[in-house]
Amino acid sequence: MHHRKIACSFRDLALFQIFQISLTSLRQLKGEGTDIRLKEQAINLALKCLSYDFVGTTLDESSEDIGTIQIPSAWRPVLEDTSTIQLFFDYYATTKPPLSKEALECLIRLASVRRSLFSGDAERTAFLTHLMNGTTEILQRAQGLGDHENYHEYCRLLDRLKINYQLSELVSVESYGDWIRLVAEFTIQSLQSWQWASNSVYYLLGLWSRLVSSVPFLKINSPTFLDGYVPQITEAYISSRFDAVQAVAQGTITEDPLENEELLHDQLDNLPYLCRFQYEKTSMFIIKLMEPILQSYTEAAKMTPSMSNDELSVMEGRLTWLVHIIGAIIKGRQSSSAGAESQEIIDGELAARVFQLIQVTDTGSHIQRYGERAKQRLDLAILCFFQNFQNVYVGDQAMHSSKQLYLRLSELLGLQDHLVVLNVIVGKIATNLKCYTQASDVIEQTLNLFQELAAGYMSGRLLLKLEAVKFILGHHTREYFPFLDDFSCSQNRTTFYFTLGRMLFMEDSPVKFKPAMEPIQQVLVTLEATPDSSFRTDAVKFTLIGVMRDLRGIAMATNSRRTHGLLFDWLYPAHMPLLLRALNHWTDTPEVTTPLLKFMAEFVFNKSQRLTFDSSSPNGILLFREVSKLIVAYGTGIMALPTPSDAYAFKYKGIWIMLTILTRALAGNYVNFGVFELYGDRALADALDIGLKISLWMPLEDILGYRKVARAYFALLEVLCHNHTTVIVMLETSTFARIVGSLEGGLKCLDVSISTQCASAVDNLAAFYFNNVTSGESPSSPAAVQMARHISECPTLFPEILKSLFEIVLFEDCANQWSLSRPMLSLILINEQIFNDLKAQILASQPPDQQQRLAGCFDKLMNDVTRTLEPKNRDKFTQNLTLFRHDFRAK
């Protein structure tokens, strides 16, 4: 806040004068004989002024995208003076990069100034006219566009014109006809020179997509000339993609545009608007391109021997682009637009070509090409098409509003409704999972699509009707899906089984659970029968990794008491000893322990209250006993091992997952922990003991250095301080001091979730001291006596935390002030003299002329606050603290 005030003051008092100095300098330095360094300084100064964060909203300084620039009204006379904008066009014309590039960057920012800056429409129109005339002149003379940087910035400038101005404003300019013609020619030329201008095409496509999107809202009769130019640009773009495929095959370019996923999606996002503008004409062009390729590809599947690899790669590359383009067009469908029915029919025409291609891709000689990158990219494009198609045209609601599309698909291919189409999609999913063994990106995308289909309420229930899905649920083994046997794809197994689990639990049918789990059951039985002498082999290692990922996926899919109960009864007690055995044998191998611990962390997580047992059930206690055994075994083993150079991968990753397991089990609210002490069961004591031991074993700098470790550590401390305060209090004073000291470090963490957890933990400890030591006549319980001893031996513990909390609240932009206010009241009430001393310290650090006012702020902080920790009293203190912070910072 303080920095923002300084920035605003600088903007109001000095920035405009600096900008005027830069303009004066630029005018004086015009000409070829002046010092190039002075020109560079002057143009750079102007650019910095125009790039200033005028209203404090710029979040990403590395991004090229800029929003509307909120230039102050005091700048109006200078910007309305057309000589200002002409100055930058002149500099662009008479200089070379980087000066010419910076002149264009200044023009981009001038083109982005807010509408309300201008005195009226006439002044804004004059400003726009000058911009359009200047950009037209650059095209007419081809000034400086042979340089990459100039070219890129010029494309950005054209894009900004449409972003900041309405189409009605553009067509009202007298020179619009020449401007749009030259821009169209420039765009087509850029697309034809795609190798040279590949990074700039995004801005040109953005310009044209915004132009055509504005046509329905144009209320004046002036011609736009877009009907003639847009189809040409669309066809030029598609043709340029075909040229790129040929260039890749010939080796004339090193980077395939299809491999640049970010650039690909950026361009495809703008394409639907262009294609749908003259949809019938564009669709005929696409179909005309696709049909001969599709016919040749179909014939190639039947040929023995097949075509050469290069010929097939070119064919598949072109089909990949067409499928991506059709998928993007389907994604851009707008049901509310005019002529929706006619557009649906054309959607059906285009989609039919893709479904026709799918009938061919996995037949004949093409089944030998799964290892070829061109074939893999084609299947990735098909998956993208499926994703877009199902979002728009699958589901009951989509079915009723998409009759024309399904009517056309039925006429062409016999795909009469979305259930038939869904069967085709699932068939392709199954084929990919059967045929791809090592293409991890194809498998990942296939599983993501499968998961998305299963996640939808309607599409998920439709899936259960399909024979292909029933087959997958009954045959999810490596014999049918070889990717399950490939270690490089093992991370995808969790997604696979998460999806199977969602579909398995979608129907309220426990009868189907055990048969579906039979393949996993066989794996576990085999592992359990393996003797110890053979348990450290690679075969066992990879089997354990795979089955733990599988079980985690199933556990993630359990979202109710019933479904989690099915998994619990299946797993306990039969297979729990295997988990403990695996941890004991493989403690030194994170590849095994990490998926095992992650499964357990998911299994004990009481999300959606899924771990709710009957009042007479011992299952909660039994589950915690197993948790205790596992974390004691892992914690004891991992601390005994030497720490290698990569401490996080080898130790800390497993430790934070272990601490997460313990935290979730303690906070799950499904165990009555008093039972353990009552019956002399060491499960709780051992679990807490190893949790604290391993927490104290890690250096604090390492805990704070790894974000996930810190989150797990402080989450555990919060739970212990809240639910097991006595355990923390009864520790030795040195240990207690270290834990409280770490909480102070966590309060200063930039991660809001961590500082909030620490605040809650400190509040619980301070409240315990207040209720049992400060408010009582004398400490009665052993815990209260021990707590009093801790604070007596370490008297600065709580004051230092209170000081840190005041510093955070008063001098930093804290997003969790409510959470921080809770421990502040507890700490103040423990010893008000400490609060008074701290108040004196803070006031002494402030300017003398402010101290009296700030002292009044401190007095108001405790207004109407009593010496209790009742919720109402806490809320009153929080309100006072909000006002106190506001008044204190209002200098």
Side-chain angles (χ1 to χ4, degrees):
M1 181 66 72
H2 182 58
H3 294 301
R4 188 62 220 158
K5 287 181 179 179
I6 295 174
C8 291
S9 177
F10 175 76
R11 176 199 65 195
D12 297 337
L13 300 177
L15 186 61
F16 183 42
Q17 287 80 356
I18 295 173
F19 182 59
Q20 288 178 307
I21 290 170
S22 70
L23 295 180
T24 303
S25 301
L26 287 171
R27 291 188 175 99
Q28 292 174 349
L29 294 170
K30 285 180 70 174
E32 298 181 359
T34 52
D35 190 334
I36 188 68
R37 289 174 298 178
L38 292 176
K39 285 185 177 181
E40 184 177 347
Q41 293 294 330
I43 195 75
N44 188 259
L45 180 60
L47 179 58
K48 291 289 175 61
C49 290
L50 291 170
S51 303
Y52 193 77
D53 187 6
F54 291 98
V55 291
T57 56
T58 301
L59 300 176
D60 185 5
E61 294 182 356
S62 64
S63 174
E64 284 189 337
D65 296 327
I66 55 177
T68 301
I69 295 180
Q70 304 293 331
I71 288 180
S73 300
W75 297 38
R76 179 182 294 132
V78 173
L79 294 187
E80 286 184 350
D81 184 353
T82 54
S83 66
T84 301
I85 199 168
Q86 186 59 45
L87 180 62
F88 293 104
F89 276 116
D90 291 343
Y91 252 81
Y92 171 76
T94 57
T95 58
K96 296 180 180 180
L99 297 186
S100 55
K101 167 185 170 289
E102 292 190 352
L104 284 175
E105 288 190 74
C106 290
L107 287 167
I108 291 170
R109 281 151 181 78
L110 289 172
S112 306
V113 297
R114 59 188 173 93
R115 173 185 291 270
S116 56
L117 176 69
F118 298 95
S119 303
D121 290 342
E123 288 77 11
R124 180 174 162 86
T125 301
F127 188 81
L128 173 61
T129 301
H130 216 84
L131 276 171
M132 292 177 66
N133 290 341
T135 52
T136 300
E137 186 176 351
I138 290 174
L139 288 176
Q140 288 172 336
R141 299 183 180 182
Q143 292 172 339
L145 297 179
D147 179 83
H148 272 281
E149 291 185 339
N150 284 351
Y151 196 96
H152 185 70
E153 298 302 328
Y154 183 76
C155 291
R156 289 182 63 207
L157 175 57
L158 291 177
D159 191 31
R160 284 307 307 180
L161 284 177
K162 179 57 191 79
I163 291 174
N164 211 38
Y165 292 88
Q166 301 296 329
L167 179 59
S168 57
E169 295 176 293
L170 295 174
V171 299
S172 298
V173 174
E174 186 177 350
S175 59
Y176 170 77
D178 291 335
W179 181 81
I180 196 70
R181 174 180 57 80
L182 288 168
V183 171
E185 292 172 357
F186 173 71
T187 303
I188 293 170
Q189 184 182 2
S190 297
L191 293 171
Q192 292 169 347
S193 307
W194 59 271
Q195 288 177 261
W196 194 78
S198 58
N199 292 327
S200 307
V201 166
Y202 164 73
Y203 294 103
L204 295 175
L205 293 177
L207 164 67
W208 288 96
S209 69
R210 290 184 181 91
L211 287 171
V212 298
S213 299
S214 302
V215 170
F217 309 103
L218 187 64
K219 297 180 180 179
I220 59 177
N221 294 324
S222 302
T224 64
F225 305 109
L226 296 178
D227 291 354
Y229 295 132
V230 171
Q232 295 178 37
I233 291 167
T234 307
E235 292 174 12
Y237 175 78
I238 297 172
S239 299
S240 72
R241 303 304 91 191
F242 275 31
D243 294 341
V245 172
Q246 192 67 43
V248 171
Q250 294 172 351
T252 56
I253 59 172
T254 55
E255 183 182 7
D256 191 336
L258 285 169
E259 296 289 356
N260 190 334
E261 189 172 341
E262 183 179 356
L263 190 62
L264 173 66
H265 288 299
D266 283 343
Q267 294 181 5
L268 291 177
D269 284 344
N270 289 316
L271 201 60
Y273 303 100
L274 303 182
C275 293
R276 288 185 178 274
F277 184 63
Q278 293 284 321
Y279 198 16
E280 187 172 352
K281 187 175 181 179
T282 302
S283 64
M284 289 178 63
F285 176 76
I286 294 173
I287 292 170
K288 186 178 178 181
L289 283 176
M290 190 169 185
E291 285 193 332
I293 305 174
L294 185 55
Q295 184 177 355
S296 300
Y297 195 64
T298 304
E299 292 172 357
K302 303 173 184 176
M303 294 172 62
T304 307
S306 184
M307 294 181 181
S308 70
N309 186 58
D310 288 345
E311 288 179 295
L312 282 171
S313 293
V314 170
M315 205 178 296
E316 286 168 344
R318 290 177 173 174
L319 286 170
T320 299
W321 274 111
L322 289 170
V323 173
H324 270 306
I325 290 168
I326 293 173
I329 294 171
I330 297 292
K331 181 182 178 182
R333 172 184 180 259
Q334 297 177 350
S335 58
S336 60
S337 62
E341 285 194 2
S342 62
Q343 294 213 355
E344 268 186 37
I345 295 172
I346 300 174
D347 283 355
E349 292 277 356
L350 293 176
R353 269 66 186 180
V354 180
F355 284 114
Q356 189 178 349
L357 169 65
I358 293 164
Q359 296 173 355
V360 180
T361 52
D362 301 300
T363 62
S365 60
H366 296 326
I367 63 175
Q368 302 171 9
R369 293 186 53 79
Y370 292 111
E372 299 293 332
R373 188 57 189 161
K375 175 71 166 67
Q376 294 169 12
R377 282 197 300 258
L378 177 57
D379 279 332
L380 285 170
I382 290 172
L383 292 171
C384 288
F385 166 80
F386 280 154
Q387 195 168 32
N388 295 331
F389 187 89
Q390 71 95 12
N391 285 336
V392 177
Y393 286 117
V394 173
D396 274 356
Q397 188 173 358
M399 180 64 185
H400 293 308
S401 61
S402 310
K403 293 181 180 178
Q404 295 300 321
L405 174 127
Y406 283 106
L407 186 61
R408 190 64 186 136
L409 285 178
S410 178
E411 293 171 356
L412 293 172
L413 296 174
L415 304 174
Q416 66 268 24
D417 59 33
H418 55 184
L419 190 60
V420 179
V421 168
L422 203 56
N423 196 47
V424 173
I425 295 175
V426 174
K428 180 59 180 171
I429 289 172
T431 300
N432 284 359
L433 296 179
K434 288 177 184 177
C435 298
Y436 282 104
T437 55
Q438 295 180 333
S440 58
D441 56 346
V442 179
I443 293 170
E444 183 179 355
Q445 285 294 98
T446 301
L447 290 173
N448 287 342
L449 174 62
F450 196 21
Q451 180 183 341
E452 190 173 326
L453 289 171
Y457 178 79
M458 185 55 62
S459 59
R461 295 199 171 276
L462 289 174
L463 287 180
L464 294 174
K465 299 178 181 179
L466 304 179
E467 291 300 321
V469 170
K470 294 177 183 177
F471 178 84
I472 294 172
L473 285 173
H475 302 83
H476 45 90
T477 62
R478 64 190 65 185
E479 288 78 19
Y480 294 96
F481 301 104
F483 84 94
L484 294 172
D485 206 24
D486 183 56
F487 184 68
S488 65
C489 297
S490 63
Q491 290 188 347
N492 292 318
R493 295 177 67 145
T494 302
T495 306
F496 181 58
Y497 277 94
F498 174 50
T499 306
L500 294 186
R502 292 188 81 147
M503 292 189 295
L504 183 63
F505 297 135
M506 200 170 289
E507 289 186 317
D508 193 8
S509 178
V511 178
K512 295 181 180 180
F513 177 74
K514 284 190 177 180
M517 295 295 288
E518 186 60 32
I520 299 178
Q521 171 95 5
Q522 292 175 5
V523 173
L524 294 178
V525 170
T526 302
L527 287 170
E528 288 161 354
T530 305
D532 287 348
S533 59
S534 304
F535 210 74
R536 285 280 296 185
T537 61
D538 284 345
V540 171
K541 172 183 174 180
F542 295 137
T543 303
L544 277 171
I545 293 170
V547 77
M548 289 303 135
R549 294 190 188 279
D550 301 345
L551 288 173
R552 182 184 171 209
I554 297 292
M556 288 166 62
T558 62
N559 55 10
S560 68
R561 175 182 174 181
R562 178 185 60 82
T563 55
H564 192 277
L566 289 174
L567 182 60
F568 179 87
D569 293 338
W570 177 82
L571 194 63
Y572 182 88
H575 304 301
M576 276 298 185
L578 176 63
L579 304 185
L580 183 60
R581 184 185 177 199
L583 272 183
N584 285 325
H585 280 79
W586 293 95
T587 306
D588 60 345
T589 310
E591 295 94 336
V592 176
T593 57
T594 296
L596 192 156
L597 293 171
K598 281 190 173 182
F599 158 65
M600 205 62 198
E602 180 63 37
F603 187 60
V604 302
F605 187 25
N606 192 14
K607 62 182 181 183
S608 304
Q609 295 300 305
R610 62 183 183 176
L611 270 81
T612 304
F613 301 107
D614 293 334
S615 57
S616 59
S617 171
N619 285 350
I621 296 169
L622 296 174
L623 176 57
F624 187 83
R625 290 176 67 184
E626 297 300 324
V627 168
S628 177
K629 293 176 189 176
L630 287 172
I631 64 174
V632 167
Y634 180 76
T636 305
I638 202 69
M639 285 192 292
L641 295 173
T643 303
S645 56
D646 190 356
Y648 178 79
F650 189 77
K651 284 194 172 184
Y652 290 148
K653 185 174 183 179
I655 288 172
W656 76 254
I657 302 171
M658 186 202 94
L659 295 180
T660 300
I661 294 172
L662 180 57
T663 302
R664 288 177 173 179
L666 291 173
N669 201 30
Y670 50 85
V671 184
N672 184 345
F673 291 106
V675 170
F676 294 103
E677 185 178 359
L678 182 64
Y679 291 100
D681 192 324
R682 290 283 307 168
L684 175 62
D686 290 344
L688 295 177
D689 182 57
I690 196 66
L692 288 169
K693 274 184 179 178
I694 206 164
S695 298
L696 297 168
W697 173 80
M698 293 184 291
L700 183 58
E701 57 269 22
D702 286 354
I703 293 174
L704 296 174
Y706 299 108
R707 181 64 56 86
K708 290 184 178 180
V709 177
R711 286 180 175 175
Y713 170 79
F714 288 116
L716 176 62
L717 288 188
E718 181 189 15
V719 171
L720 291 178
C721 290
H722 186 270
N723 298 336
H724 303 273
T725 314
T726 304
V727 174
I728 299 293
V729 170
M730 294 303 292
L731 295 170
E732 293 181 3
T733 299
S734 59
T735 304
F736 179 82
R738 178 176 171 182
I739 288 176
V740 175
S742 71
L743 290 174
E744 183 183 358
L747 285 170
K748 299 175 182 178
C749 183
L750 296 177
D751 189 319
V752 174
S753 63
I754 290 177
S755 66
T756 300
Q757 289 169 345
C758 292
S760 175
V762 170
D763 183 39
N764 284 306
L765 291 176
F768 181 88
Y769 186 90
F770 177 77
N771 292 326
N772 293 276
V773 180
T774 304
S775 298
E777 295 181 1
S778 62
S780 55
S781 67
V785 172
Q786 183 74 348
M787 186 66 164
R789 183 181 296 116
H790 292 325
I791 301 306
S792 173
E793 294 182 14
C794 303
T796 61
L797 268 182
F798 284 162
E800 286 298 321
I801 292 180
L802 183 60
K803 180 181 178 182
S804 296
L805 285 168
F806 266 106
E807 289 173 349
I808 294 169
V809 169
L810 293 179
F811 305 117
E812 296 181 18
D813 292 328
C814 58
N816 56 340
Q817 182 183 317
W818 187 92
S819 300
L820 298 180
S821 71
R822 285 355 218 186
M824 290 179 74
L825 177 61
S826 304
L827 293 168
I828 289 171
L829 295 182
I830 283 174
N831 190 333
E832 294 191 25
Q833 184 57 46
I834 293 175
F835 170 59
N836 292 328
D837 294 343
L838 179 61
K839 177 171 65 172
Q841 290 179 31
I842 294 175
L843 290 175
S845 67
Q846 300 302 305
D849 61 332
Q850 295 286 331
Q851 290 182 8
Q852 185 175 356
R853 181 182 67 84
L854 297 178
C857 295
F858 268 105
D859 293 339
K860 293 178 183 177
L861 179 60
M862 301 303 290
N863 279 356
D864 301 324
V865 176
T866 60
R867 287 187 54 79
T868 70
L869 291 176
E870 296 296 324
K872 187 176 180 180
N873 195 50
R874 285 178 177 271
D875 290 341
K876 181 59 182 175
F877 176 79
T878 301
Q879 293 173 11
N880 288 355
L881 182 66
T882 302
L883 296 173
F884 167 70
R885 181 173 185 266
H886 178 268
D887 294 342
F888 191 94
R889 293 160 67 97
K891 297 181 181 179

